[in-house]
Structure formats: C-alpha cells, structure tokens
Amino acid sequence: MILKNKLTHERVQLSYTEFKTRFAKEIQATLESYVKTHNNKPYFKANDNFESDFYFDLQWNFNHFGNSNWYIERL
C-alpha cells in the first residue's frame, strides 16, 4: 500500500503488516471514531461487529475517520 503525508507530500510504500505496526495508534483511534459514529445511528446495534466492517473498506475509513497527517493513497 502507498501512503502519502498531507504536509510534506512524502510517499511511503508499506506492506499491510508494516502498516498495522507503524500506524497502530492511528488505526485504533480511527476505529474508535468509526464505532462511535456508527453507534450514534439508530439503525445500527451497539453490539454489531464494526471492526470487520472497518477493515473491509480500510482505505476510505482510515482517510475519513482518522486525524492523521498520513492517508492511504493506494492499496
């Protein structure tokens, strides 16, 4: 996957494992934001498995629910 820094426009190519290791805090914060957003919607149940849904569309969710200087440009 290719990640790009919003501020410096630096590009980094990482494997999925390297991405999960290097951006563990950002992924966790983004996942919490995703869950919080979906729990506020009345048609979702609080016990739904949001983690699998989050990882299903990782690129969009990481880029839109996260507050990181990095974004996933391409998987």
Side-chain angles (χ1 to χ4, degrees):
M1 76 178 41
I2 299 174
L3 285 92
K4 187 173 180 181
N5 190 308
K6 295 175 188 175
L7 302 175
T8 63
H9 302 288
E10 174 188 1
R11 285 190 174 146
V12 176
Q13 186 168 357
L14 301 172
S15 69
Y16 183 70
T17 308
E18 292 171 328
F19 169 73
K20 285 186 76 172
T21 304
R22 185 170 172 185
F23 292 96
K25 289 182 183 179
E26 288 91 344
I27 292 171
Q28 185 62 36
T30 305
L31 178 60
E32 290 171 4
S33 174
Y34 177 83
V35 170
K36 185 185 285 186
T37 300
H38 282 76
N39 275 335
N40 289 334
K41 296 179 181 178
Y43 47 88
F44 284 108
K45 296 178 184 172
N47 61 357
D48 284 346
N49 187 6
F50 292 119
E51 189 170 358
S52 63
D53 294 339
F54 174 79
Y55 283 108
F56 179 74
D57 198 4
L58 178 63
Q59 182 176 3
W60 195 92
N61 292 326
F62 184 80
N63 293 344
H64 290 88
F65 285 103
N67 192 17
S68 175
N69 288 334
W70 292 90
Y71 68 93
I72 301 172
E73 187 173 69
R74 189 175 347 157
L75 291 176

